[in-house]
Amino acid sequence: MSLLPNPPKPEITYGEFPFRLTYELNDEVKIVDDTLICKFDGFSVNEGSGKRRKWKTYLKSGNTRITLFKNEEIEIFFTPGLNDDTLAATYMGDTEFYQPNINSTFPNAYYTKNFDDKRENAYIISGIDMWHEYGVRLIKWEPSAPIQNIFK
């Protein structure tokens, strides 16, 4: 399978996508402004779909996620596409192999009990459960629009 030709390369290989997340924590409104960086990262091979373009993402702030709530038992966090080829591909206009969606998990988030992991062992917590159990509510998610890209 690795002998198959690579798909066409993207003309635009780097993008910056500012976003704003507004949320409430115990009746206090908080706003997070940051930028999702997306970069073309070569090609990968998938037995089911063959070769595809690979994408890498990170936050301009250097954070690995947006922590909404944390105590000694649980951390609730939002990741606007980090470690997610699908979201990065969508932002970079690569919808050939990826289903477009820039809403991440909104209005839900992730939670973990292993604080050192970046995303492993993270599970989705519903917006309703976040609000009722921890006083956290995602109010508004304002992502940037995806770009139009050319692949040749």
Side-chain angles (χ1 to χ4, degrees), residues 112-126:
T112 186
K113 294 181 181 194
N114 185 353
F115 302 144
D116 295 328
D117 271 344
K118 301 230 181 329
R119 178 137 178 223
E120 293 79 10
N121 299 317
Y123 306 95
I124 292 199
I125 183 170
S126 75

Side-chain angles (χ1 to χ4, degrees), residues 4 11 20 48 75 86 98 110:
L4 293 172
E11 187 174 277
R20 173 173 277 183
E75 179 183 5
T86 303
Y98 300 97
Y110 289 101

Side-chain angles (χ1 to χ4, degrees), residues 27-64:
D27 299 324
E28 182 182 341
V29 174
K30 299 182 178 259
I31 296 174
V32 176
D33 288 303
D34 206 337
T35 301
L36 183 69
I37 307 293
C38 300
K39 286 182 173 182
F40 174 64
D41 195 29
F43 301 95
S44 65
V45 178
N46 179 302
E47 286 190 30
S49 59
K51 284 192 171 180
R52 59 174 52 187
R53 288 174 286 273
K54 201 166 64 167
W55 299 93
K56 180 167 49 171
T57 59
Y58 58 92
L59 293 176
K60 195 171 196 174
S61 66
N63 294 328
T64 58

